[in-house]
Every structure is written in structure tokens, then in C-alpha cells.
Amino acid sequence: MKKQYLKTVFTFIALMATSVFFAQDYSFKDYNWNEKENTIEVPANYKDEKEVILNRTSKIEVVVDKNTAIQYRLIHEKRYINSDDAIERNNKIYIPFGGNENILVTKARVILKSGKVITLDKKDIKEEVDEEKGMKYNYFAVNGLEKGAVIEKLYIIEEAPDLKGNTIKMQDEYPIAVYNFELITPAHLFFKTKSYNGLSEPVLDEKKFEKKKVLTITEKDIIALKDDEQYSNWDVKLKLFRYKMDANAYTGARNINSFKEYATNTYELLNPVLDKKQEKAIATFCSSIPESKDAQEQIWNIENKIKKTIIYDKYIDAKETLSDVIKTKQANSLDILKLYTAVFKYFKIEQNLVFTSNRYKIPFDKDFESYENLNDFIFYFPAIKKYLSPTEIEYRIPLFPNYLGNNNGLFIKEKVFAGIPMGIGEINFIEIPGTEITHDFMDITVDFTKDLENPSITSRMTYGGYSGLNFQPLKDFISADQYKTMLKNVSENYTLKAECKTLTTENDGIDFIGKKPYIMNLTFDGKDMIQKAGGNYLFSVGQTIGSQMEFYQENKRMLPIEIDYPHYYTRKIKIILPQGATIKNLDKFVMDYKTQLNGKTEAAFISNYSQNKNEVTIENTEFYNIINYPLASFDEYKAVINAAADFNKIVVVVTQ
């Protein structure tokens, strides 16, 4: 079983049944740029732009020869460079190459304003190593680039076909004057398509080539959509074109690559009949898993056991049996799903396997059945309405990667028909755990009674849910010294880098993830938050909650708001003054900013204070109940975000 099996399951079944008795060649084999072209023509409306894609031509052709399918992809682009920033961005032209691709043509050149043409060849190709990702990149090193020049590049790539589903992004961070796209396929194959975000529908031409059909989209004057807006989802708001193979006239197959087919076949794949040896291996494995009457705790125990026992590596070959998985303590994607399924079945825990996509990369469209949407998977438990990520070692139920939530998914559940269990697929929405899970608390006491110039500050900070997940796993994955350094760095955000008198933590380590919040306790001297002005002491009380993000938006906002997950903050600051001392500016703590949708407050920053003799108590709440906020609510949302930063700047005046 190959390493990418789950992503390509059943994609090519119908195509491989095709019997074609003639060989085909791809139509743009002799495609080339105009070798004689040495003038630059920039439309008048783009002459003052810093960077413009004057023309982008993309062609994809699927070629079938007998039982073999292959895809050819052409990319031809002319890019106008008209600023120092654009020169810096484009002094490297990366060559698109992956392990499953074969580059047939790779060309690049620069046309200068003078008409001089600089042609780049093999000697200009350099190699760059990304140490962090462990990957190598090849690129053309562009020399002599100047304002007013045009970079032209041309690639033709041979690769495996994208028949199960593919998305073409037809918008960019820079304006596109003309975009030409063609999908060329054998006449007997039929494709479903869909255009998004205002993209025009494709035009079908069945006469351009013999025994082929062409779907064409031509778009002009595509506006730039910058990928620099905070709290947004740029990739899914672009003009997108999606396609997938749907029928084969030669075989009569229809609704190819359907979710129904995927659900049925995947269920069968993950629920094989186990022989006695495998049943015994599963029983022995499960015997060491603590049992609990609480459903969520039982699932947590199962997840913890598998993740601490079995090493997951999606790139290794599948094992023949579950006995081998348990024995070798290694599993790829298929193996790990089989193991979880078998263990859940042993404990009689109902589950749905859910296939979905990263919501920040591709939208899961329930009305367009593309296998592109099925690259990621999690388990869902109907009894407790919670999700589990089987492959992410640092997660524990009810937490799972937030980019898989707030999204649709294909839920594969077991149904019994005439005594025979089968896999049935349903499209449902994947909810991300809300503010009941990710709720942070901050309890701070500032004691001035011993020294007005150096108050004693005690902070207890509780990080719940996804906030806690930023800290809890580290204890088990880094050295003690590294963990100590991390704690020091985090604490400095609240102490203005002052040394802590005491710094302790609670509930750190994987064993607490999903069970208890992460807690950090600090005590430190607050002299760095005090400035003396005559007989007054200026206390930067807002700094005790740590630095807060400020939300700037210089240009007109283009995209609606999308955040990672719902989040709630509760903060309480108690200031204890010596007898006879007074405090001013408390009215600055009265704040009320809200984002309301359909008559309901979905985001807010609310603050107030009270005073009882020599004690002042400041309390505020900040919350974001939902993930998506419309563009029309942007100003209200920005005000909520910036309120915390404003709070951070509040200074009170203490006088003895």
C-alpha cells in the first residue's frame, strides 16, 4: 500500500477502465514566446502600478493513451516591474518542480525599456536550501533588472493528472491585465466545473482540436487582492476555478470521484475482517488502556495510548496487518486509521471518520464533490459531539487543528443494512470548540502598602483550550533548560523584563492537554512600571496584562474577518494602596466596545472598576464568540481588538 494511498483512493478507477486505441500528443508541445519581441507595451491604466502581471497564460491538458493518463501543464507569464520593491521581489525566478513532476521546458528572460533582451539560461540557475523545511529550490538569478522592465517566464511540466479535483487561483496580490486559461481533455471524458468569487464561467469548444474538448476562461483587468490583511482568509476569497472528472463516455461511468463512492470504499478499507492473530494483538494492546465510565476520558485514554506507543509517519509503507503495526510501533495514514478504528470498535465507541480540508487553503464546497477536500481527517464522536486528531501528536480531545474546523466535512458513519455494515457519507459542519474551552483568566494583585516606588505584583494566569496548547506540550518535547528559557521569555511580557521572584507552572505536559488549563504564577517587583513625578507616582497599570496587539488598517479593508478560534478573556486587577493614599484616572478603565450581529453581541471588550477604601478592583472581559465577521462589521471589530491595546496604555496617578 503506497504512502499517498488515502489521498488518491479510487481516483483513477474509471479512467483506467478506458480502452483507447490511438496515441495522443499534447497540443502545446511547440508553444513558445515571440523571440522577436523586444518592446514593452503596458496598458495606460497600469503604467503607474509598482508591479503588474501583463499576461498570464495557463494550459492544462490531460492525455490518455490506452490505460495510461498523463497531464501537461503550461505556465507563461509576463510581469511588469516598476519599483525598487518589485525588483527586490523578482530577482529570483523560482522553477516549479516537485518529486512527481518532469520539467520539459524552462525559460526566462528580461526585456528592458531600451529593447535589450537578457536571456537567462542554465548557468543562471542557482540552488537555495531551506534548512527549516529540509527542501531545496532551484531558481533563475535575475541580473540587470530595472524599473520599467518585463520579466517573462515559460514552463511546460509533465505530471500526474488532477482528475479527482483541482483548483486554479485566477487572482493575485498584483493586478492581472489578461489571464487566459485552458483545460484540454479527451472528448470522451466529462468534467464538472465551478467558478468562485465572481470568476466568469468557462466556454466549451469541441471543434478546436480533433477528438478533444477545450474549456476556456479569459479574464481581463483582474484587480489585485493583497494578502496582508490581519484576521482574514485570502486563499478562499480569490477568483477560483475548480474542476474534476465526472464521467467517461467509453465506459459509461458517471458521477466519478463522488463522495458516496469515497465513503463506501474508505469504510471497507478501514474495517477489514481481522483474523485471530490480529484480534488478539488488539485485545492485548487495549488491555493496557485505562478504562473510564466517562466517554470523553475513555477516548482521551485511547488517544494518549496510541500517540505515546505508535510512531506516525505518513511517508512509510503500510504494514500488512494491525499485528505488524503494533509490533513495529510504526504506522502511516492508512495504518493509524485502521488501528484507531479497531480500538474504538473494541471499546464499543461509536465514531465517524471525517475527511475535510484546510479552511485556509481550499473551501470545502458541499455542492462540488472534489477529492481535493478530503486531504485531512479527524474522528467525530456523536455521543459527546467532540473531535479527535489521530495524527497530531501534541493534540488531545477535545482539541484538534483549528484550521480543520469551521468547515464542512465528509462524515463517514457505519450503517447496517440486512445485517451487513456499510459506510455512509454525509456532509456536516465541523464546529471548533468555543469559548467554554478556550477561556483565559488573569488574576493580578498590585500591593503598594510597603513601597509606593516598588509595588509587589502577583499574577496568576490561566490559559484554557487552544491557548494552553501553545504551552503545555513543550514540557515533553524540549529540554529542561529550553523550557526554563521559554518560561522566562513568556514572563517578561508581563514583568517588563524584570526578574521574577518566583515563577511556577501547573498542568504542563501532554498529560493535561484537553483536561486542565495551563497555569503560570508570577511574583515580581513592579518598580519598572512606576515613574515619579514630583509628589505623584505614575503607575502603568495596563502593562500588567502584557503587551496587546494593535490592529492597523492603512488601506481600505477588502476582506471579511476570519479568526482561528473563539476565545474569551477574563481579567481582574486588584490594587492595594497604603492608608491615606489616593488614586486618579480610574475613569479611564470604563470601556465598552462591542461587535453586534443580528442583535447579538459576538465580540466585546468591557471594562470597569470599583473602589472600597484603599482597594481598587479593575475587571474586564474580552471575547470573540464566532469565527467569521462580515466586512460591514470591520470597524466595530477593530475597535474591540484595539481596546485591549488601549487598556495596556492606561496610567494611573497614585499620591500619598
Side-chain angles (χ1 to χ4, degrees), residues 471-480 483 486 505 508-510:
F471 304 107
Q472 285 174 308
L474 296 175
K475 182 71 175 291
D476 296 332
F477 289 103
I478 61 178
S479 69
Y483 188 64
M486 183 278 293
T505 59
D508 38 8
I510 281 177

Side-chain angles (χ1 to χ4, degrees), residues 118-392:
I118 303 172
T119 301
L120 304 174
D121 53 31
K122 290 184 178 179
K123 75 176 187 303
D124 299 300
I125 297 178
K126 309 294 182 183
E127 184 178 271
E128 181 179 283
V129 179
D130 187 326
E131 299 289 353
E132 186 175 331
K133 295 182 179 179
M135 298 179 68
K136 293 182 180 179
Y137 300 93
N138 290 328
Y139 63 90
F140 283 108
V142 183
N143 297 313
L145 196 57
E146 64 182 20
K147 292 180 184 179
V150 167
I151 294 177
E152 188 169 12
K153 60 184 180 181
L154 172 62
Y155 306 112
I156 298 179
I157 300 166
E158 181 184 68
E159 59 194 355
D162 294 314
L163 302 178
K164 61 189 170 103
N166 190 31
T167 298
I168 307 296
K169 294 178 180 178
M170 299 190 70
Q171 195 170 13
D172 207 291
E173 289 191 76
Y174 309 101
I176 304 175
V178 180
Y179 196 135
N180 296 296
F181 172 77
E182 289 184 352
L183 174 63
I184 308 162
T185 66
H188 67 285
L189 298 182
F190 293 83
F191 285 74
K192 274 191 174 181
T193 67
K194 190 167 183 178
S195 297
Y196 294 80
N197 302 321
L199 182 70
S200 58
E201 294 298 323
V203 176
L204 175 64
D205 186 342
E206 298 182 279
K207 297 180 180 180
K208 186 174 183 178
F209 302 111
E210 185 180 359
K211 297 178 181 178
K212 297 179 183 180
K213 60 179 67 170
V214 184
L215 287 170
T216 301
I217 294 179
T218 299
E219 288 271 316
K220 295 182 178 180
D221 296 319
I222 304 172
I223 65 170
L225 189 64
K226 294 292 185 182
D227 186 18
D228 60 358
E229 294 188 341
Q230 292 177 293
Y231 310 108
S232 64
N233 193 345
W234 181 79
D235 285 87
V236 302
K237 296 301 180 182
L238 298 170
K239 290 178 181 287
L240 303 174
F241 177 67
R242 305 183 76 176
Y243 67 88
K244 69 144 191 173
M245 190 174 76
D246 187 62
N248 186 330
Y250 282 178
T251 64
R254 295 183 178 278
N255 199 24
I256 300 169
N257 302 320
S258 70
F259 287 164
K260 179 180 179 181
E261 178 187 48
Y262 192 93
T264 299
N265 292 327
T266 301
Y267 175 85
E268 292 177 359
L269 191 67
L270 299 179
N271 290 272
V273 176
L274 303 182
D275 57 30
K276 290 185 178 180
K277 182 179 180 181
Q278 292 184 83
E279 287 181 344
K280 183 178 179 181
I282 291 296
T284 301
F285 183 83
C286 292
S287 66
S288 60
I289 298 175
E291 294 194 37
S292 173
K293 293 182 179 179
D294 180 88
Q296 182 166 317
E297 185 176 20
Q298 182 63 68
I299 295 166
W300 193 100
N301 292 341
I302 292 169
E303 180 183 15
N304 195 49
K305 168 69 175 180
I306 292 177
K307 288 183 175 178
K308 286 188 173 182
T309 305
I310 308 297
I311 298 172
Y312 167 72
D313 183 350
K314 66 179 179 180
Y315 296 111
I316 64 173
D317 289 335
K319 304 295 184 292
E320 289 189 13
T321 67
L322 286 176
S323 304
D324 295 328
V325 173
I326 294 171
K327 182 179 179 180
T328 62
K329 298 182 179 180
Q330 291 183 325
N332 67 5
S333 299
L334 181 60
D335 293 329
I336 205 73
L337 290 179
K338 280 184 175 180
L339 180 60
Y340 271 100
T341 300
V343 174
F344 290 142
K345 191 174 293 184
Y346 178 89
F347 282 100
K348 297 181 173 58
I349 296 173
E350 181 188 1
Q351 51 80 13
N352 300 163
L353 180 56
V354 183
F355 285 87
T356 188
S357 59
N358 184 331
R359 65 182 162 102
Y360 287 111
K361 292 182 178 180
I362 201 76
F364 191 114
D365 185 343
K366 63 182 179 180
D367 298 318
F368 191 83
E369 298 187 8
S370 170
Y371 281 16
E372 259 190 310
N373 292 134
L374 309 178
N375 284 335
D376 295 282
F377 42 82
I378 50 180
F379 282 102
Y380 173 67
F381 303 93
I384 59 174
K385 295 181 172 59
K386 302 289 175 61
Y387 295 87
L388 176 155
S389 173
T391 58
E392 304 292 338

Side-chain angles (χ1 to χ4, degrees), residues 15 198 264 275 295 387 392 400 423 496 574 578 584 603 610 627 640 644-645:
L15 181 64
T264 299
D275 57 30
Y387 295 87
E392 304 292 338
F400 62 94
L496 296 187
K574 181 186 289 186
K584 300 177 182 178
S610 62
I627 290 173
V640 172

